Amino acid sequence: MTTHYCYTDSPFGKLLLVGDFQGLSLINFQDGIAPVLPEAHWRKDAAFFVNAIVQLKEYYAGKRQRFSLRLNPSGSEFQRQVLAIVARIPYGETASYADIARMVGKPKSVRAVGAANRTNPIPIMIPCHRVIGTNGKLTSFNGGIEMKQWMLDLEAGRLDADGVKRPPLLNDVVEQELADDLAAELV
């Protein structure tokens, strides 16, 4: 079976996409901590990944919350179980490593869950960036903590159309109180 690959841009540099007719098997951050080089037998073919590239661009623009591609992640049975749970974390939400360990039925396997998440071969589409520490803090991410924070901000609606973080919005209650105070002063 032929393995295809191509490069595409992301807000944080180049990504390498790798897959075959069984599905997308790798997204690698080329500017990250462990860039992957294409193997000699792989075939460069951007057309093979058009759907994936379009969906990634829609995601970065805040117009896509779910990916609809065939994925083919590698890994042990346990790693695939963890990734299947991570894949179900809803857009805009997070889960802790302990949460995932409980969901996989091994509540004491928090470190093993962390290792499986860290070796996720298809980040972004299997949203390992949505996994955080039990204390609510961000933990490592192969694309870098800045990209993890950017994606979480994107999903929380804290970025403007150019991907720049906007100032926090006042909640409706505070806005209403300010409006009521202003109205009282005008009377």
Side-chain angles (χ1 to χ4, degrees):
M1 183 173 302
T2 303
T3 299
H4 303 268
Y5 79 96
C6 80
Y7 296 97
T8 188
D9 292 323
S10 81
F12 287 85
K14 288 227 178 283
L15 299 178
L16 172 68
L17 306 181
V18 180
D20 56 30
F21 287 105
Q22 293 181 2
L24 184 67
S25 58
L26 179 70
I27 295 177
N28 179 260
F29 299 102
Q30 292 295 282
D31 299 328
I33 58 174
V36 170
L37 295 173
E39 295 184 18
H41 67 278
W42 292 358
R43 179 175 171 225
K44 189 170 187 178
D45 183 3
F48 187 84
F49 297 99
V50 167
N51 196 15
I53 293 168
V54 167
Q55 289 188 37
L56 285 166
K57 289 186 185 310
E58 290 170 348
Y59 171 78
Y60 302 140
K63 296 177 181 170
R64 175 171 289 277
Q65 295 185 1
R66 297 182 63 159
F67 294 97
S68 58
L69 295 169
R70 183 180 298 172
L71 303 179
N72 187 25
S74 60
S76 69
E77 182 62 31
F78 178 76
Q79 288 170 315
R80 288 195 307 276
Q81 286 176 338
V82 168
L83 294 179
I85 290 169
V86 170
R88 293 194 306 260
I89 301 171
Y91 183 92
E93 296 183 25
T94 58
S96 72
Y97 295 100
D99 294 335
I100 294 169
R102 281 190 296 277
M103 286 184 240
V104 87
K106 298 184 179 195
K108 294 185 180 187
S109 298
V110 175
R111 288 185 189 266
V113 164
N117 198 57
R118 194 169 31 260
T119 58
N120 174 9
I122 313 173
I124 307 170
M125 293 191 182
I126 298 177
C128 55
H129 61 278
R130 296 180 190 153
V131 182
I132 59 173
T134 304
N135 60 4
K137 300 225 183 219
L138 297 186
T139 54
S140 66
F141 180 66
N142 286 336
I145 286 292
E146 297 83 13
M147 184 169 192
K148 182 173 187 164
Q149 183 66 63
W150 187 90
M151 289 190 291
L152 293 173
D153 287 341
L154 170 74
E155 294 180 9
R158 294 188 292 256
L159 299 180
D160 66 17
D162 296 321
V164 177
K165 195 167 186 171
R166 62 176 88 125
L169 299 174
L170 296 173
N171 66 38
D172 294 338
V173 174
V174 173
E175 284 183 22
Q176 187 60 51
E177 289 173 359
L178 291 172
D180 291 344
D181 289 347
L182 181 59
E185 289 177 18
L186 294 174
V187 173

mmCIF file with all atom_site columns, all heavy atoms in Angstrom, residues 146-167:
data_model
loop_
_atom_site.group_PDB
_atom_site.id
_atom_site.type_symbol
_atom_site.label_atom_id
_atom_site.label_alt_id
_atom_site.label_comp_id
_atom_site.label_asym_id
_atom_site.label_entity_id
_atom_site.label_seq_id
_atom_site.pdbx_PDB_ins_code
_atom_site.Cartn_x
_atom_site.Cartn_y
_atom_site.Cartn_z
_atom_site.occupancy
_atom_site.B_iso_or_equiv
_atom_site.pdbx_formal_charge
_atom_site.auth_seq_id
_atom_site.auth_comp_id
_atom_site.auth_asym_id
_atom_site.auth_atom_id
_atom_site.pdbx_PDB_model_num
ATOM 1   N N   . GLU A 1 146 ? 2.430   27.161 23.617 1.00 0.00 ? 146 GLU A N   1
ATOM 2   C CA  . GLU A 1 146 ? 1.775   28.320 23.006 1.00 0.00 ? 146 GLU A CA  1
ATOM 3   C C   . GLU A 1 146 ? 0.687   27.881 22.039 1.00 0.00 ? 146 GLU A C   1
ATOM 4   O O   . GLU A 1 146 ? -0.391  28.466 21.994 1.00 0.00 ? 146 GLU A O   1
ATOM 5   C CB  . GLU A 1 146 ? 2.795   29.212 22.278 1.00 0.00 ? 146 GLU A CB  1
ATOM 6   C CG  . GLU A 1 146 ? 3.847   29.832 23.181 1.00 0.00 ? 146 GLU A CG  1
ATOM 7   C CD  . GLU A 1 146 ? 5.010   28.889 23.480 1.00 0.00 ? 146 GLU A CD  1
ATOM 8   O OE1 . GLU A 1 146 ? 5.152   27.844 22.804 1.00 0.00 ? 146 GLU A OE1 1
ATOM 9   O OE2 . GLU A 1 146 ? 5.770   29.191 24.419 1.00 0.00 ? 146 GLU A OE2 1
ATOM 10  N N   . MET A 1 147 ? 0.954   26.839 21.245 1.00 0.00 ? 147 MET A N   1
ATOM 11  C CA  . MET A 1 147 ? -0.054  26.365 20.304 1.00 0.00 ? 147 MET A CA  1
ATOM 12  C C   . MET A 1 147 ? -1.217  25.719 21.061 1.00 0.00 ? 147 MET A C   1
ATOM 13  O O   . MET A 1 147 ? -2.375  25.888 20.687 1.00 0.00 ? 147 MET A O   1
ATOM 14  C CB  . MET A 1 147 ? 0.523   25.389 19.287 1.00 0.00 ? 147 MET A CB  1
ATOM 15  C CG  . MET A 1 147 ? -0.499  24.960 18.254 1.00 0.00 ? 147 MET A CG  1
ATOM 16  S SD  . MET A 1 147 ? 0.239   24.077 16.874 1.00 0.00 ? 147 MET A SD  1
ATOM 17  C CE  . MET A 1 147 ? -1.130  24.057 15.734 1.00 0.00 ? 147 MET A CE  1
ATOM 18  N N   . LYS A 1 148 ? -0.914  24.994 22.112 1.00 0.00 ? 148 LYS A N   1
ATOM 19  C CA  . LYS A 1 148 ? -1.975  24.381 22.915 1.00 0.00 ? 148 LYS A CA  1
ATOM 20  C C   . LYS A 1 148 ? -2.884  25.473 23.464 1.00 0.00 ? 148 LYS A C   1
ATOM 21  O O   . LYS A 1 148 ? -4.116  25.385 23.360 1.00 0.00 ? 148 LYS A O   1
ATOM 22  C CB  . LYS A 1 148 ? -1.361  23.553 24.053 1.00 0.00 ? 148 LYS A CB  1
ATOM 23  C CG  . LYS A 1 148 ? -2.377  22.828 24.907 1.00 0.00 ? 148 LYS A CG  1
ATOM 24  C CD  . LYS A 1 148 ? -1.673  21.900 25.896 1.00 0.00 ? 148 LYS A CD  1
ATOM 25  C CE  . LYS A 1 148 ? -2.669  21.032 26.636 1.00 0.00 ? 148 LYS A CE  1
ATOM 26  N NZ  . LYS A 1 148 ? -2.033  19.893 27.309 1.00 0.00 ? 148 LYS A NZ  1
ATOM 27  N N   . GLN A 1 149 ? -2.287  26.521 24.034 1.00 0.00 ? 149 GLN A N   1
ATOM 28  C CA  . GLN A 1 149 ? -3.075  27.622 24.579 1.00 0.00 ? 149 GLN A CA  1
ATOM 29  C C   . GLN A 1 149 ? -3.876  28.307 23.477 1.00 0.00 ? 149 GLN A C   1
ATOM 30  O O   . GLN A 1 149 ? -5.052  28.636 23.662 1.00 0.00 ? 149 GLN A O   1
ATOM 31  C CB  . GLN A 1 149 ? -2.172  28.647 25.285 1.00 0.00 ? 149 GLN A CB  1
ATOM 32  C CG  . GLN A 1 149 ? -2.943  29.782 25.933 1.00 0.00 ? 149 GLN A CG  1
ATOM 33  C CD  . GLN A 1 149 ? -3.803  29.294 27.083 1.00 0.00 ? 149 GLN A CD  1
ATOM 34  O OE1 . GLN A 1 149 ? -3.288  28.784 28.079 1.00 0.00 ? 149 GLN A OE1 1
ATOM 35  N NE2 . GLN A 1 149 ? -5.120  29.438 26.968 1.00 0.00 ? 149 GLN A NE2 1
ATOM 36  N N   . TRP A 1 150 ? -3.261  28.493 22.303 1.00 0.00 ? 150 TRP A N   1
ATOM 37  C CA  . TRP A 1 150 ? -3.944  29.141 21.182 1.00 0.00 ? 150 TRP A CA  1
ATOM 38  C C   . TRP A 1 150 ? -5.178  28.338 20.772 1.00 0.00 ? 150 TRP A C   1
ATOM 39  O O   . TRP A 1 150 ? -6.248  28.906 20.558 1.00 0.00 ? 150 TRP A O   1
ATOM 40  C CB  . TRP A 1 150 ? -2.977  29.302 20.000 1.00 0.00 ? 150 TRP A CB  1
ATOM 41  C CG  . TRP A 1 150 ? -3.546  30.093 18.866 1.00 0.00 ? 150 TRP A CG  1
ATOM 42  C CD1 . TRP A 1 150 ? -3.464  31.441 18.692 1.00 0.00 ? 150 TRP A CD1 1
ATOM 43  C CD2 . TRP A 1 150 ? -4.261  29.591 17.732 1.00 0.00 ? 150 TRP A CD2 1
ATOM 44  N NE1 . TRP A 1 150 ? -4.107  31.803 17.518 1.00 0.00 ? 150 TRP A NE1 1
ATOM 45  C CE2 . TRP A 1 150 ? -4.610  30.684 16.921 1.00 0.00 ? 150 TRP A CE2 1
ATOM 46  C CE3 . TRP A 1 150 ? -4.669  28.309 17.332 1.00 0.00 ? 150 TRP A CE3 1
ATOM 47  C CZ2 . TRP A 1 150 ? -5.325  30.544 15.731 1.00 0.00 ? 150 TRP A CZ2 1
ATOM 48  C CZ3 . TRP A 1 150 ? -5.381  28.172 16.155 1.00 0.00 ? 150 TRP A CZ3 1
ATOM 49  C CH2 . TRP A 1 150 ? -5.705  29.283 15.360 1.00 0.00 ? 150 TRP A CH2 1
ATOM 50  N N   . MET A 1 151 ? -5.037  27.008 20.671 1.00 0.00 ? 151 MET A N   1
ATOM 51  C CA  . MET A 1 151 ? -6.175  26.176 20.271 1.00 0.00 ? 151 MET A CA  1
ATOM 52  C C   . MET A 1 151 ? -7.275  26.195 21.333 1.00 0.00 ? 151 MET A C   1
ATOM 53  O O   . MET A 1 151 ? -8.457  26.251 20.997 1.00 0.00 ? 151 MET A O   1
ATOM 54  C CB  . MET A 1 151 ? -5.725  24.752 19.947 1.00 0.00 ? 151 MET A CB  1
ATOM 55  C CG  . MET A 1 151 ? -4.938  24.691 18.646 1.00 0.00 ? 151 MET A CG  1
ATOM 56  S SD  . MET A 1 151 ? -4.619  23.016 18.045 1.00 0.00 ? 151 MET A SD  1
ATOM 57  C CE  . MET A 1 151 ? -3.472  22.428 19.263 1.00 0.00 ? 151 MET A CE  1
ATOM 58  N N   . LEU A 1 152 ? -6.902  26.169 22.603 1.00 0.00 ? 152 LEU A N   1
ATOM 59  C CA  . LEU A 1 152 ? -7.907  26.240 23.664 1.00 0.00 ? 152 LEU A CA  1
ATOM 60  C C   . LEU A 1 152 ? -8.612  27.598 23.643 1.00 0.00 ? 152 LEU A C   1
ATOM 61  O O   . LEU A 1 152 ? -9.824  27.684 23.832 1.00 0.00 ? 152 LEU A O   1
ATOM 62  C CB  . LEU A 1 152 ? -7.279  25.959 25.028 1.00 0.00 ? 152 LEU A CB  1
ATOM 63  C CG  . LEU A 1 152 ? -6.780  24.523 25.232 1.00 0.00 ? 152 LEU A CG  1
ATOM 64  C CD1 . LEU A 1 152 ? -6.022  24.393 26.544 1.00 0.00 ? 152 LEU A CD1 1
ATOM 65  C CD2 . LEU A 1 152 ? -7.917  23.520 25.148 1.00 0.00 ? 152 LEU A CD2 1
ATOM 66  N N   . ASP A 1 153 ? -7.849  28.671 23.395 1.00 0.00 ? 153 ASP A N   1
ATOM 67  C CA  . ASP A 1 153 ? -8.448  30.005 23.274 1.00 0.00 ? 153 ASP A CA  1
ATOM 68  C C   . ASP A 1 153 ? -9.373  30.077 22.061 1.00 0.00 ? 153 ASP A C   1
ATOM 69  O O   . ASP A 1 153 ? -10.460 30.658 22.126 1.00 0.00 ? 153 ASP A O   1
ATOM 70  C CB  . ASP A 1 153 ? -7.370  31.084 23.169 1.00 0.00 ? 153 ASP A CB  1
ATOM 71  C CG  . ASP A 1 153 ? -6.644  31.340 24.483 1.00 0.00 ? 153 ASP A CG  1
ATOM 72  O OD1 . ASP A 1 153 ? -7.183  30.968 25.556 1.00 0.00 ? 153 ASP A OD1 1
ATOM 73  O OD2 . ASP A 1 153 ? -5.542  31.910 24.446 1.00 0.00 ? 153 ASP A OD2 1
ATOM 74  N N   . LEU A 1 154 ? -8.948  29.496 20.950 1.00 0.00 ? 154 LEU A N   1
ATOM 75  C CA  . LEU A 1 154 ? -9.783  29.459 19.744 1.00 0.00 ? 154 LEU A CA  1
ATOM 76  C C   . LEU A 1 154 ? -11.114 28.782 20.058 1.00 0.00 ? 154 LEU A C   1
ATOM 77  O O   . LEU A 1 154 ? -12.189 29.308 19.757 1.00 0.00 ? 154 LEU A O   1
ATOM 78  C CB  . LEU A 1 154 ? -9.061  28.707 18.618 1.00 0.00 ? 154 LEU A CB  1
ATOM 79  C CG  . LEU A 1 154 ? -9.893  28.368 17.380 1.00 0.00 ? 154 LEU A CG  1
ATOM 80  C CD1 . LEU A 1 154 ? -10.128 29.632 16.552 1.00 0.00 ? 154 LEU A CD1 1
ATOM 81  C CD2 . LEU A 1 154 ? -9.199  27.307 16.536 1.00 0.00 ? 154 LEU A CD2 1
ATOM 82  N N   . GLU A 1 155 ? -11.041 27.629 20.689 1.00 0.00 ? 155 GLU A N   1
ATOM 83  C CA  . GLU A 1 155 ? -12.236 26.846 20.980 1.00 0.00 ? 155 GLU A CA  1
ATOM 84  C C   . GLU A 1 155 ? -13.128 27.516 22.021 1.00 0.00 ? 155 GLU A C   1
ATOM 85  O O   . GLU A 1 155 ? -14.339 27.299 22.035 1.00 0.00 ? 155 GLU A O   1
ATOM 86  C CB  . GLU A 1 155 ? -11.851 25.431 21.412 1.00 0.00 ? 155 GLU A CB  1
ATOM 87  C CG  . GLU A 1 155 ? -11.203 24.647 20.293 1.00 0.00 ? 155 GLU A CG  1
ATOM 88  C CD  . GLU A 1 155 ? -10.808 23.235 20.677 1.00 0.00 ? 155 GLU A CD  1
ATOM 89  O OE1 . GLU A 1 155 ? -11.174 22.773 21.777 1.00 0.00 ? 155 GLU A OE1 1
ATOM 90  O OE2 . GLU A 1 155 ? -10.131 22.578 19.865 1.00 0.00 ? 155 GLU A OE2 1
ATOM 91  N N   . ALA A 1 156 ? -12.547 28.350 22.869 1.00 0.00 ? 156 ALA A N   1
ATOM 92  C CA  . ALA A 1 156 ? -13.328 29.058 23.889 1.00 0.00 ? 156 ALA A CA  1
ATOM 93  C C   . ALA A 1 156 ? -13.872 30.383 23.359 1.00 0.00 ? 156 ALA A C   1
ATOM 94  O O   . ALA A 1 156 ? -14.546 31.108 24.094 1.00 0.00 ? 156 ALA A O   1
ATOM 95  C CB  . ALA A 1 156 ? -12.467 29.294 25.124 1.00 0.00 ? 156 ALA A CB  1
ATOM 96  N N   . GLY A 1 157 ? -13.551 30.721 22.105 1.00 0.00 ? 157 GLY A N   1
ATOM 97  C CA  . GLY A 1 157 ? -14.034 31.968 21.531 1.00 0.00 ? 157 GLY A CA  1
ATOM 98  C C   . GLY A 1 157 ? -13.272 33.190 21.997 1.00 0.00 ? 157 GLY A C   1
ATOM 99  O O   . GLY A 1 157 ? -13.783 34.307 21.937 1.00 0.00 ? 157 GLY A O   1
ATOM 100 N N   . ARG A 1 158 ? -12.033 32.992 22.461 1.00 0.00 ? 158 ARG A N   1
ATOM 101 C CA  . ARG A 1 158 ? -11.235 34.115 22.960 1.00 0.00 ? 158 ARG A CA  1
ATOM 102 C C   . ARG A 1 158 ? -10.283 34.694 21.926 1.00 0.00 ? 158 ARG A C   1
ATOM 103 O O   . ARG A 1 158 ? -9.391  35.461 22.269 1.00 0.00 ? 158 ARG A O   1
ATOM 104 C CB  . ARG A 1 158 ? -10.449 33.683 24.194 1.00 0.00 ? 158 ARG A CB  1
ATOM 105 C CG  . ARG A 1 158 ? -11.327 33.359 25.393 1.00 0.00 ? 158 ARG A CG  1
ATOM 106 C CD  . ARG A 1 158 ? -10.527 33.124 26.653 1.00 0.00 ? 158 ARG A CD  1
ATOM 107 N NE  . ARG A 1 158 ? -9.743  31.908 26.580 1.00 0.00 ? 158 ARG A NE  1
ATOM 108 C CZ  . ARG A 1 158 ? -10.046 30.767 27.194 1.00 0.00 ? 158 ARG A CZ  1
ATOM 109 N NH1 . ARG A 1 158 ? -11.128 30.695 27.934 1.00 0.00 ? 158 ARG A NH1 1
ATOM 110 N NH2 . ARG A 1 158 ? -9.275  29.721 27.082 1.00 0.00 ? 158 ARG A NH2 1
ATOM 111 N N   . LEU A 1 159 ? -10.454 34.317 20.644 1.00 0.00 ? 159 LEU A N   1
ATOM 112 C CA  . LEU A 1 159 ? -9.596  34.853 19.583 1.00 0.00 ? 159 LEU A CA  1
ATOM 113 C C   . LEU A 1 159 ? -10.462 35.639 18.600 1.00 0.00 ? 159 LEU A C   1
ATOM 114 O O   . LEU A 1 159 ? -11.612 35.290 18.353 1.00 0.00 ? 159 LEU A O   1
ATOM 115 C CB  . LEU A 1 159 ? -8.883  33.720 18.832 1.00 0.00 ? 159 LEU A CB  1
ATOM 116 C CG  . LEU A 1 159 ? -7.949  32.840 19.643 1.00 0.00 ? 159 LEU A CG  1
ATOM 117 C CD1 . LEU A 1 159 ? -7.335  31.781 18.752 1.00 0.00 ? 159 LEU A CD1 1
ATOM 118 C CD2 . LEU A 1 159 ? -6.854  33.658 20.305 1.00 0.00 ? 159 LEU A CD2 1
ATOM 119 N N   . ASP A 1 160 ? -9.868  36.680 18.025 1.00 0.00 ? 160 ASP A N   1
ATOM 120 C CA  . ASP A 1 160 ? -10.603 37.418 17.000 1.00 0.00 ? 160 ASP A CA  1
ATOM 121 C C   . ASP A 1 160 ? -10.407 36.740 15.646 1.00 0.00 ? 160 ASP A C   1
ATOM 122 O O   . ASP A 1 160 ? -9.782  35.684 15.550 1.00 0.00 ? 160 ASP A O   1
ATOM 123 C CB  . ASP A 1 160 ? -10.184 38.890 16.974 1.00 0.00 ? 160 ASP A CB  1
ATOM 124 C CG  . ASP A 1 160 ? -8.740  39.105 16.547 1.00 0.00 ? 160 ASP A CG  1
ATOM 125 O OD1 . ASP A 1 160 ? -8.120  38.193 15.956 1.00 0.00 ? 160 ASP A OD1 1
ATOM 126 O OD2 . ASP A 1 160 ? -8.223  40.214 16.789 1.00 0.00 ? 160 ASP A OD2 1
ATOM 127 N N   . ALA A 1 161 ? -10.927 37.358 14.589 1.00 0.00 ? 161 ALA A N   1
ATOM 128 C CA  . ALA A 1 161 ? -10.885 36.740 13.257 1.00 0.00 ? 161 ALA A CA  1
ATOM 129 C C   . ALA A 1 161 ? -9.468  36.528 12.749 1.00 0.00 ? 161 ALA A C   1
ATOM 130 O O   . ALA A 1 161 ? -9.234  35.686 11.890 1.00 0.00 ? 161 ALA A O   1
ATOM 131 C CB  . ALA A 1 161 ? -11.670 37.602 12.265 1.00 0.00 ? 161 ALA A CB  1
ATOM 132 N N   . ASP A 1 162 ? -8.498  37.283 13.285 1.00 0.00 ? 162 ASP A N   1
ATOM 133 C CA  . ASP A 1 162 ? -7.105  37.118 12.867 1.00 0.00 ? 162 ASP A CA  1
ATOM 134 C C   . ASP A 1 162 ? -6.338  36.163 13.762 1.00 0.00 ? 162 ASP A C   1
ATOM 135 O O   . ASP A 1 162 ? -5.129  36.023 13.638 1.00 0.00 ? 162 ASP A O   1
ATOM 136 C CB  . ASP A 1 162 ? -6.399  38.485 12.855 1.00 0.00 ? 162 ASP A CB  1
ATOM 137 C CG  . ASP A 1 162 ? -6.996  39.427 11.832 1.00 0.00 ? 162 ASP A CG  1
ATOM 138 O OD1 . ASP A 1 162 ? -7.345  38.945 10.732 1.00 0.00 ? 162 ASP A OD1 1
ATOM 139 O OD2 . ASP A 1 162 ? -7.126  40.621 12.130 1.00 0.00 ? 162 ASP A OD2 1
ATOM 140 N N   . GLY A 1 163 ? -7.030  35.497 14.683 1.00 0.00 ? 163 GLY A N   1
ATOM 141 C CA  . GLY A 1 163 ? -6.364  34.555 15.574 1.00 0.00 ? 163 GLY A CA  1
ATOM 142 C C   . GLY A 1 163 ? -5.642  35.222 16.722 1.00 0.00 ? 163 GLY A C   1
ATOM 143 O O   . GLY A 1 163 ? -4.812  34.623 17.371 1.00 0.00 ? 163 GLY A O   1
ATOM 144 N N   . VAL A 1 164 ? -5.977  36.494 16.996 1.00 0.00 ? 164 VAL A N   1
ATOM 145 C CA  . VAL A 1 164 ? -5.339  37.242 18.067 1.00 0.00 ? 164 VAL A CA  1
ATOM 146 C C   . VAL A 1 164 ? -6.250  37.210 19.282 1.00 0.00 ? 164 VAL A C   1
ATOM 147 O O   . VAL A 1 164 ? -7.465  37.362 19.162 1.00 0.00 ? 164 VAL A O   1
ATOM 148 C CB  . VAL A 1 164 ? -5.081  38.708 17.629 1.00 0.00 ? 164 VAL A CB  1
ATOM 149 C CG1 . VAL A 1 164 ? -4.487  39.522 18.770 1.00 0.00 ? 164 VAL A CG1 1
ATOM 150 C CG2 . VAL A 1 164 ? -4.175  38.736 16.405 1.00 0.00 ? 164 VAL A CG2 1
ATOM 151 N N   . LYS A 1 165 ? -5.646  37.019 20.441 1.00 0.00 ? 165 LYS A N   1
ATOM 152 C CA  . LYS A 1 165 ? -6.440  36.921 21.666 1.00 0.00 ? 165 LYS A CA  1
ATOM 153 C C   . LYS A 1 165 ? -7.128  38.255 21.942 1.00 0.00 ? 165 LYS A C   1
ATOM 154 O O   . LYS A 1 165 ? -6.499  39.295 21.927 1.00 0.00 ? 165 LYS A O   1
ATOM 155 C CB  . LYS A 1 165 ? -5.534  36.522 22.835 1.00 0.00 ? 165 LYS A CB  1
ATOM 156 C CG  . LYS A 1 165 ? -6.287  36.043 24.042 1.00 0.00 ? 165 LYS A CG  1
ATOM 157 C CD  . LYS A 1 165 ? -5.354  35.383 25.020 1.00 0.00 ? 165 LYS A CD  1
ATOM 158 C CE  . LYS A 1 165 ? -6.134  34.784 26.155 1.00 0.00 ? 165 LYS A CE  1
ATOM 159 N NZ  . LYS A 1 165 ? -5.300  33.971 27.011 1.00 0.00 ? 165 LYS A NZ  1
ATOM 160 N N   . ARG A 1 166 ? -8.431  38.189 22.166 1.00 0.00 ? 166 ARG A N   1
ATOM 161 C CA  . ARG A 1 166 ? -9.173  39.403 22.490 1.00 0.00 ? 166 ARG A CA  1
ATOM 162 C C   . ARG A 1 166 ? -9.287  39.528 23.994 1.00 0.00 ? 166 ARG A C   1
ATOM 163 O O   . ARG A 1 166 ? -9.206  38.520 24.709 1.00 0.00 ? 166 ARG A O   1
ATOM 164 C CB  . ARG A 1 166 ? -10.520 39.425 21.798 1.00 0.00 ? 166 ARG A CB  1
ATOM 165 C CG  . ARG A 1 166 ? -11.459 38.327 22.159 1.00 0.00 ? 166 ARG A CG  1
ATOM 166 C CD  . ARG A 1 166 ? -12.796 38.512 21.469 1.00 0.00 ? 166 ARG A CD  1
ATOM 167 N NE  . ARG A 1 166 ? -12.807 37.891 20.178 1.00 0.00 ? 166 ARG A NE  1
ATOM 168 C CZ  . ARG A 1 166 ? -13.688 37.004 19.762 1.00 0.00 ? 166 ARG A CZ  1
ATOM 169 N NH1 . ARG A 1 166 ? -14.684 36.667 20.521 1.00 0.00 ? 166 ARG A NH1 1
ATOM 170 N NH2 . ARG A 1 166 ? -13.616 36.461 18.602 1.00 0.00 ? 166 ARG A NH2 1
ATOM 171 N N   . PRO A 1 167 ? -9.491  40.764 24.483 1.00 0.00 ? 167 PRO A N   1
ATOM 172 C CA  . PRO A 1 167 ? -9.633  40.925 25.937 1.00 0.00 ? 167 PRO A CA  1
ATOM 173 C C   . PRO A 1 167 ? -10.873 40.195 26.431 1.00 0.00 ? 167 PRO A C   1
ATOM 174 O O   . PRO A 1 167 ? -11.828 40.020 25.678 1.00 0.00 ? 167 PRO A O   1
ATOM 175 C CB  . PRO A 1 167 ? -9.770  42.438 26.128 1.00 0.00 ? 167 PRO A CB  1
ATOM 176 C CG  . PRO A 1 167 ? -9.957  43.018 24.782 1.00 0.00 ? 167 PRO A CG  1
ATOM 177 C CD  . PRO A 1 167 ? -9.592  41.984 23.760 1.00 0.00 ? 167 PRO A CD  1
#
